[in-house]
Protein backbone atom coordinates (compact mmCIF):
# COMPACT_ATOMS: atom_id res chain seq x y z
CA UNK A 1 0.00 0.00 0.00
CA UNK A 2 2.88 2.39 -0.43
CA UNK A 3 1.84 5.55 -2.22
CA UNK A 4 4.30 7.66 -4.11
CA UNK A 5 3.84 10.88 -6.09
CA UNK A 6 5.57 11.16 -9.43
CA UNK A 7 5.13 14.71 -10.63
CA UNK A 8 1.42 15.54 -10.93
CA UNK A 9 0.45 11.90 -11.22
CA UNK A 10 -0.10 9.56 -8.33
CA UNK A 11 1.11 5.99 -8.41
CA UNK A 12 0.99 3.25 -5.86
CA UNK A 13 3.59 0.62 -5.19
CA UNK A 14 4.11 -1.85 -2.43
CA UNK A 15 7.50 -1.60 -0.79
CA UNK A 16 9.37 -4.47 0.73
CA UNK A 17 8.78 -4.79 4.42
CA UNK A 18 11.57 -2.90 6.11
CA UNK A 19 10.98 -4.07 9.63
CA UNK A 20 14.32 -5.42 10.87
CA UNK A 21 13.12 -8.04 13.30
CA UNK A 22 13.63 -11.71 13.84
CA UNK A 23 10.44 -13.71 13.41
CA UNK A 24 10.15 -16.04 16.31
CA UNK A 25 8.02 -19.11 16.83
CA UNK A 26 4.47 -19.68 15.81
CA UNK A 27 1.12 -18.58 17.09
CA UNK A 28 0.35 -18.33 20.77
CA UNK A 29 -2.78 -20.37 21.50
CA UNK A 30 -5.50 -18.23 22.99
CA UNK A 31 -8.56 -19.44 24.85
CA UNK A 32 -11.22 -16.86 25.55
CA UNK A 33 -14.91 -16.75 26.32
CA UNK A 34 -17.14 -13.98 27.55
CA UNK A 35 -19.73 -14.05 30.29
CA UNK A 36 -22.62 -11.76 31.03
CA UNK A 37 -22.22 -9.35 33.89
CA UNK A 38 -22.46 -5.76 35.05
CA UNK A 39 -19.95 -3.15 34.03
CA UNK A 40 -18.15 -3.60 37.35
CA UNK A 41 -17.61 -7.35 37.70
CA UNK A 42 -15.46 -7.39 40.84
CA UNK A 43 -14.11 -4.90 43.38
CA UNK A 44 -11.44 -2.85 41.65
CA UNK A 45 -12.03 -4.54 38.28
CA UNK A 46 -13.99 -2.58 35.70
CA UNK A 47 -15.02 -4.14 32.41
CA UNK A 48 -13.31 -2.26 29.58
CA UNK A 49 -15.13 -0.60 26.72
CA UNK A 50 -14.13 -2.21 23.42
CA UNK A 51 -13.57 0.24 20.55
CA UNK A 52 -13.24 -1.14 17.03
CA UNK A 53 -11.70 0.85 14.17
CA UNK A 54 -12.15 -0.26 10.56
CA UNK A 55 -9.64 0.10 7.76
CA UNK A 56 -9.60 1.23 4.13
CA UNK A 57 -12.29 0.06 1.71
CA UNK A 58 -14.53 -0.96 4.60
CA UNK A 59 -16.76 0.74 7.17
CA UNK A 60 -17.88 0.32 10.77
CA UNK A 61 -20.43 -2.34 9.79
CA UNK A 62 -17.56 -4.72 9.02
CA UNK A 63 -17.37 -5.28 12.80
CA UNK A 64 -21.03 -6.32 13.13
CA UNK A 65 -20.17 -9.98 13.81
CA UNK A 66 -17.81 -9.04 16.62
CA UNK A 67 -20.10 -6.37 18.08
CA UNK A 68 -23.00 -8.83 18.29
CA UNK A 69 -20.87 -11.43 20.06
CA UNK A 70 -19.33 -8.93 22.45
CA UNK A 71 -22.71 -7.49 23.35
CA UNK A 72 -24.06 -10.98 23.97
CA UNK A 73 -21.11 -11.52 26.32
CA UNK A 74 -22.10 -8.45 28.32
CA UNK A 75 -19.61 -5.87 27.03
CA UNK A 76 -19.96 -2.38 25.65
CA UNK A 77 -18.56 -2.45 22.11
CA UNK A 78 -18.32 0.63 19.89
CA UNK A 79 -17.50 0.35 16.18
CA UNK A 80 -16.55 3.89 15.14
CA UNK A 81 -16.14 5.59 11.78
CA UNK A 82 -12.60 6.03 10.52
CA UNK A 83 -12.54 9.05 8.17
CA UNK A 84 -9.90 7.48 5.84
CA UNK A 85 -8.57 10.90 4.84
CA UNK A 86 -5.04 10.75 6.25
CA UNK A 87 -3.24 9.15 9.18
CA UNK A 88 -2.78 12.35 11.18
CA UNK A 89 -6.39 13.49 11.02
CA UNK A 90 -7.86 9.99 11.27
CA UNK A 91 -5.84 9.26 14.40
CA UNK A 92 -6.86 12.57 15.95
CA UNK A 93 -10.51 11.78 15.23
CA UNK A 94 -10.31 8.42 16.99
CA UNK A 95 -8.27 9.90 19.84
CA UNK A 96 -11.00 12.51 20.37
CA UNK A 97 -13.61 9.75 20.58
CA UNK A 98 -11.52 7.80 23.08
CA UNK A 99 -11.32 10.94 25.19
CA UNK A 100 -15.11 10.85 25.69
CA UNK A 101 -14.97 7.43 27.36
CA UNK A 102 -14.52 6.68 31.04
CA UNK A 103 -12.65 3.66 32.34
CA UNK A 104 -10.38 1.13 30.65
CA UNK A 105 -10.42 0.63 26.89
CA UNK A 106 -9.44 -2.23 24.61
CA UNK A 107 -8.70 -0.69 21.22
CA UNK A 108 -9.01 -2.83 18.09
CA UNK A 109 -7.91 -1.96 14.53
CA UNK A 110 -8.30 -3.70 11.18
CA UNK A 111 -5.94 -3.16 8.24
CA UNK A 112 -5.10 0.58 7.97
CA UNK A 113 -7.09 0.95 11.17
CA UNK A 114 -4.11 -0.68 12.87
CA UNK A 115 -1.99 2.34 11.96
CA UNK A 116 -4.72 4.60 13.28
CA UNK A 117 -4.95 2.91 16.69
CA UNK A 118 -1.15 2.85 16.91
CA UNK A 119 -1.25 6.65 16.90
CA UNK A 120 -4.61 7.31 18.57
CA UNK A 121 -3.72 5.32 21.71
CA UNK A 122 -0.45 7.14 22.33
CA UNK A 123 -0.56 8.99 25.65
CA UNK A 124 -4.04 7.74 26.60
CA UNK A 125 -3.70 5.92 29.91
CA UNK A 126 -7.16 4.40 29.60
CA UNK A 127 -6.13 2.25 26.62
CA UNK A 128 -4.97 -0.95 28.29
CA UNK A 129 -4.68 -3.36 25.35
CA UNK A 130 -4.33 -3.11 21.57
CA UNK A 131 -5.68 -5.72 19.16
CA UNK A 132 -4.54 -5.84 15.53
CA UNK A 133 -6.70 -7.74 13.03
CA UNK A 134 -4.99 -8.34 9.65
CA UNK A 135 -3.50 -4.95 10.35
CA UNK A 136 -0.51 -2.67 10.05
CA UNK A 137 1.36 -1.79 13.25
CA UNK A 138 3.91 0.81 12.16
CA UNK A 139 6.92 2.06 14.04
CA UNK A 140 7.57 5.78 14.25
CA UNK A 141 8.44 7.06 10.78
CA UNK A 142 6.99 4.10 8.89
CA UNK A 143 4.06 4.50 6.51
CA UNK A 144 1.20 2.06 6.17
CA UNK A 145 2.25 1.58 2.56
CA UNK A 146 5.60 0.14 3.59
CA UNK A 147 4.06 -2.71 5.52
CA UNK A 148 2.01 -4.72 3.03
CA UNK A 149 4.79 -7.20 2.25
CA UNK A 150 6.62 -7.94 -0.96
CA UNK A 151 4.07 -10.51 -2.23
CA UNK A 152 1.01 -8.37 -1.52
CA UNK A 153 -1.62 -8.13 -4.25
CA UNK A 154 -1.14 -4.37 -4.04
CA UNK A 155 2.22 -4.76 -5.76
CA UNK A 156 0.39 -4.85 -9.11
CA UNK A 157 0.01 -1.97 -11.59
CA UNK A 158 -1.93 0.77 -9.74
CA UNK A 159 -4.09 1.29 -12.82
CA UNK A 160 -5.35 -2.26 -12.43
CA UNK A 161 -5.94 -1.94 -8.70
CA UNK A 162 -7.80 1.32 -8.18
CA UNK A 163 -10.23 3.83 -9.56
CA UNK A 164 -9.14 7.33 -8.52
CA UNK A 165 -11.76 9.85 -7.44
CA UNK A 166 -11.15 13.54 -6.61
CA UNK A 167 -12.67 14.92 -3.43
CA UNK A 168 -13.33 18.47 -2.18
CA UNK A 169 -10.51 20.01 -0.19
CA UNK A 170 -7.98 17.38 -1.18
CA UNK A 171 -4.34 18.45 -0.99
CA UNK A 172 -2.73 18.99 -4.38
CA UNK A 173 -2.22 15.70 -6.19
CA UNK A 174 -4.24 13.55 -3.77
CA UNK A 175 -7.30 11.50 -4.64
CA UNK A 176 -9.49 8.87 -3.06
CA UNK A 177 -8.78 5.30 -4.08
CA UNK A 178 -11.53 2.79 -4.80
CA UNK A 179 -10.62 -0.89 -5.17
CA UNK A 180 -11.64 -2.33 -8.51
CA UNK A 181 -14.15 -5.16 -8.33
CA UNK A 182 -11.82 -8.02 -9.42
CA UNK A 183 -9.22 -6.96 -6.83
CA UNK A 184 -11.84 -6.81 -4.10
CA UNK A 185 -13.30 -10.21 -4.95
CA UNK A 186 -10.05 -12.06 -5.63
CA UNK A 187 -7.67 -10.49 -3.12
CA UNK A 188 -9.52 -8.44 -0.49
CA UNK A 189 -12.26 -10.88 0.51
CA UNK A 190 -11.86 -14.13 -1.46
CA UNK A 191 -13.10 -16.30 1.43
CA UNK A 192 -16.52 -14.60 1.41
CA UNK A 193 -19.49 -15.87 -0.64
CA UNK A 194 -19.34 -14.01 -3.98
CA UNK A 195 -22.70 -12.24 -3.53
CA UNK A 196 -21.57 -10.96 -0.14
CA UNK A 197 -18.19 -9.86 -1.50
CA UNK A 198 -19.86 -8.04 -4.40
CA UNK A 199 -22.17 -6.19 -2.01
CA UNK A 200 -19.20 -5.12 0.10
CA UNK A 201 -17.30 -3.99 -2.98
CA UNK A 202 -20.25 -1.85 -4.05
CA UNK A 203 -20.51 -0.22 -0.62
CA UNK A 204 -16.80 0.22 0.16
CA UNK A 205 -15.57 3.53 1.59
CA UNK A 206 -12.62 4.87 -0.42
CA UNK A 207 -9.41 5.98 1.26
CA UNK A 208 -7.26 8.99 0.45
CA UNK A 209 -3.77 8.39 -0.83
CA UNK A 210 -2.43 10.29 2.19
CA UNK A 211 -3.73 7.52 4.45
CA UNK A 212 -0.98 5.29 3.09
CA UNK A 213 1.74 7.93 2.64
CA UNK A 214 1.86 9.62 6.04
CA UNK A 215 4.63 8.45 8.40
CA UNK A 216 3.46 7.23 11.78
CA UNK A 217 4.06 9.78 14.55
CA UNK A 218 3.75 7.26 17.37
CA UNK A 219 4.03 3.55 18.16
CA UNK A 220 1.67 2.88 21.05
CA UNK A 221 2.50 -0.85 20.97
CA UNK A 222 5.87 -0.05 22.55
CA UNK A 223 4.07 0.84 25.80
CA UNK A 224 0.71 -0.98 25.58
CA UNK A 225 0.35 -4.80 25.44
CA UNK A 226 -0.91 -6.05 22.09
CA UNK A 227 -2.61 -8.99 20.42
CA UNK A 228 -2.70 -10.00 16.77
CA UNK A 229 -5.13 -11.90 14.54
CA UNK A 230 -3.51 -13.07 11.30
CA UNK A 231 -5.48 -14.60 8.45
CA UNK A 232 -3.15 -17.11 6.82
CA UNK A 233 -4.52 -16.34 3.34
CA UNK A 234 -4.35 -12.54 3.59
CA UNK A 235 -3.27 -11.18 0.19
CA UNK A 236 -3.32 -7.50 1.15
CA UNK A 237 -1.03 -7.38 4.20
CA UNK A 238 0.84 -10.65 3.96
CA UNK A 239 1.01 -13.05 6.92
CA UNK A 240 4.80 -12.76 6.83
CA UNK A 241 4.64 -8.99 7.24
CA UNK A 242 2.04 -9.21 10.00
CA UNK A 243 4.06 -11.85 11.86
CA UNK A 244 7.15 -9.64 11.75
CA UNK A 245 5.21 -6.68 13.12
CA UNK A 246 3.55 -8.83 15.79
CA UNK A 247 6.84 -10.26 16.97
CA UNK A 248 8.42 -6.82 17.03
CA UNK A 249 5.58 -5.66 19.30
CA UNK A 250 5.74 -8.85 21.40
CA UNK A 251 2.08 -9.42 20.56
CA UNK A 252 0.17 -12.57 21.40
CA UNK A 253 -0.70 -14.09 18.03
CA UNK A 254 -3.78 -15.98 16.91
CA UNK A 255 -3.79 -17.34 13.34
CA UNK A 256 -6.97 -18.04 11.41
CA UNK A 257 -6.37 -20.75 8.79
CA UNK A 258 -7.64 -19.66 5.38
CA UNK A 259 -8.62 -16.22 6.63
CA UNK A 260 -8.46 -13.44 4.05
CA UNK A 261 -7.89 -9.73 4.67
CA UNK A 262 -11.54 -9.64 5.75
CA UNK A 263 -11.17 -12.25 8.49
CA UNK A 264 -13.22 -9.96 10.73
CA UNK A 265 -16.22 -10.63 8.45
CA UNK A 266 -15.54 -14.22 7.34
CA UNK A 267 -14.38 -15.51 10.76
CA UNK A 268 -15.89 -13.28 13.47
CA UNK A 269 -15.76 -16.05 16.09
CA UNK A 270 -11.95 -16.43 16.29
CA UNK A 271 -11.50 -12.66 16.01
CA UNK A 272 -13.89 -12.14 18.93
CA UNK A 273 -12.06 -14.79 20.95
CA UNK A 274 -8.81 -12.86 20.60
CA UNK A 275 -10.50 -9.59 21.54
CA UNK A 276 -11.93 -11.26 24.63
CA UNK A 277 -8.50 -12.60 25.53
CA UNK A 278 -7.28 -9.01 25.54
CA UNK A 279 -10.31 -7.97 27.59
CA UNK A 280 -9.63 -10.65 30.19
CA UNK A 281 -6.05 -9.43 30.47
CA UNK A 282 -7.53 -6.13 31.70
CA UNK A 283 -10.19 -7.65 33.96
CA UNK A 284 -9.66 -11.41 34.49
CA UNK A 285 -12.93 -11.90 36.36
CA UNK A 286 -15.07 -10.23 33.69
Amino acid sequence: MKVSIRGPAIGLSVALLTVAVAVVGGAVPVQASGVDGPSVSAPGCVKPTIVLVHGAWADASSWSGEVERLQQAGYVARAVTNPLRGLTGDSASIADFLGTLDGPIVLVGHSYGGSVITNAAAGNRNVKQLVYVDAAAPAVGETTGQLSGKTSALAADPGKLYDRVPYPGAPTGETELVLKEPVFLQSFGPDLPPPRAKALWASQRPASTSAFMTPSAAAAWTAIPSWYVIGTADKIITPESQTAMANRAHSKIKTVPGGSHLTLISHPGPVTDQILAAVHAVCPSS
Side-chain angles (χ1 to χ4, degrees), residues 265-286:
I265 297 176
S266 60
H267 296 80
V271 173
T272 303
D273 287 346
Q274 187 74 322
I275 295 170
L276 286 171
V279 167
H280 295 158
V282 177
C283 187
S285 60
S286 66

Side-chain angles (χ1 to χ4, degrees), residues 53-57 80-98 107 112-121 144 167 174 176 205-214:
V53 181
H54 66 85
W57 309 305
V80 296
T81 297
N82 183 354
L84 305 180
R85 285 293 174 86
L87 184 56
T88 302
D90 295 345
S91 300
S93 176
I94 299 303
D96 286 345
F97 176 79
L98 297 177
L107 186 55
Y112 163 70
S115 295
V116 173
I117 70 170
T118 296
N119 285 264
T144 304
Y167 63 94
E174 291 192 13
E176 288 187 327
R205 291 187 65 245
S208 172
T209 51
S210 66
F212 310 119
M213 295 170 58
T214 305

Side-chain angles (χ1 to χ4, degrees), residues 92-153:
S93 176
I94 299 303
D96 286 345
F97 176 79
L98 297 177
T100 69
L101 303 176
D102 295 324
I105 298 167
V106 171
L107 186 55
V108 188
H110 169 245
S111 189
Y112 163 70
S115 295
V116 173
I117 70 170
T118 296
N119 285 264
N124 187 327
R125 295 185 178 182
N126 284 343
V127 179
K128 303 301 184 182
Q129 305 283 328
L130 300 170
V131 184
Y132 294 91
V133 180
D134 294 315
V140 173
E142 290 178 343
T143 68
T144 304
Q146 289 177 291
L147 301 172
S148 294
K150 64 182 180 181
T151 61
S152 169

Side-chain angles (χ1 to χ4, degrees), residues 3-25:
V3 182
S4 60
I5 299 179
R6 301 181 180 92
I10 292 180
L12 297 183
S13 64
V14 177
L16 297 179
L17 176 67
T18 58
V19 180
V21 297
V23 176
V24 294

